[in-house]
Amino acid sequence: MITLSNFAKVAVDFNALHNHKLGDGLYVVDQPAGKALEHYTFKNFGKYHFLQRFDLGKVYEIHDSHCESRAINGTHMRPLWNWLKTAQYEGQRDFKHRKFDIWGEDFGHGFKVEIGVFANSIDRPAVLVQKFKSDENVYEFFSWNTTKPAASVFDVPA
């Protein structure tokens, strides 16, 4: 099972209708503390910072210098990797000239999630794909550190 806390360096490829963003950055989670951060620098789009603070009941979204915060229902963060318990093995697939074992879960209504792992390292994600009706988000994990992230990573922006 994939760990509940991680600090990962990623490349991202977000492809929405007529809006394609490529970038890289951080994907950091401290599930037990109810905190998560996605921080990316995109080519032709700038910086994007998405901070989830379930312990505070808030989400913060920053694009360049514009910050928006909103309240969320509840202070309990749903387990991010819980869907893997019911995921189905979908075989092997090539991604950027590397072969991965693919596990997927179809949630219906046009939403599906897939994870690619190396056969000899099934508890470390290599590729994560979120498929929506007309959009697709791809996360390519370059590093995966399972040490609990420093609390300062989740500091609320000033």
Side-chain angles (χ1 to χ4, degrees), residues 4-25:
L4 299 177
S5 295
N6 69 271
F7 187 96
K9 291 184 180 178
V10 297
V12 292
D13 183 348
F14 294 168
N15 197 354
L17 284 175
H18 311 293
N19 190 358
H20 192 195
K21 298 179 189 118
L22 292 170
D24 56 27

Side-chain angles (χ1 to χ4, degrees), residues 61-130:
E61 198 166 359
I62 303 169
H63 176 244
D64 288 329
S65 60
H66 176 74
C67 180
E68 184 179 313
S69 70
R70 62 184 179 274
I72 52 177
N73 293 332
T75 57
H76 177 71
M77 183 180 195
R78 290 189 356 234
L80 295 175
W81 303 107
N82 213 35
W83 62 273
L84 287 170
K85 292 178 183 175
T86 56
Q88 300 295 310
Y89 180 68
E90 297 184 356
Q92 290 191 326
R93 199 175 307 148
D94 289 331
F95 179 81
K96 293 187 177 179
H97 309 291
R98 294 175 295 171
K99 192 171 288 295
F100 298 107
D101 287 338
I102 304 296
W103 294 83
E105 179 71 22
D106 191 334
F107 293 93
H109 306 288
F111 181 56
K112 182 177 183 180
V113 180
E114 297 173 338
I115 192 164
V117 296
F118 290 107
N120 62 351
S121 187
I122 62 170
D123 59 349
R124 181 193 181 280
V127 178
L128 175 68
V129 180
Q130 300 169 328

Side-chain angles (χ1 to χ4, degrees), residues 3-53:
T3 59
L4 299 177
S5 295
N6 69 271
F7 187 96
K9 291 184 180 178
V10 297
V12 292
D13 183 348
F14 294 168
N15 197 354
L17 284 175
H18 311 293
N19 190 358
H20 192 195
K21 298 179 189 118
L22 292 170
D24 56 27
L26 302 174
Y27 184 92
V28 188
V29 178
D30 185 349
Q31 183 82 52
K35 301 173 184 178
L37 170 68
E38 294 181 59
H39 180 77
Y40 309 120
T41 301
F42 291 101
K43 299 171 180 135
N44 302 323
F45 185 72
K47 293 186 181 206
Y48 177 74
H49 189 89
F50 183 65
L51 176 63
Q52 299 176 68
R53 290 291 306 266

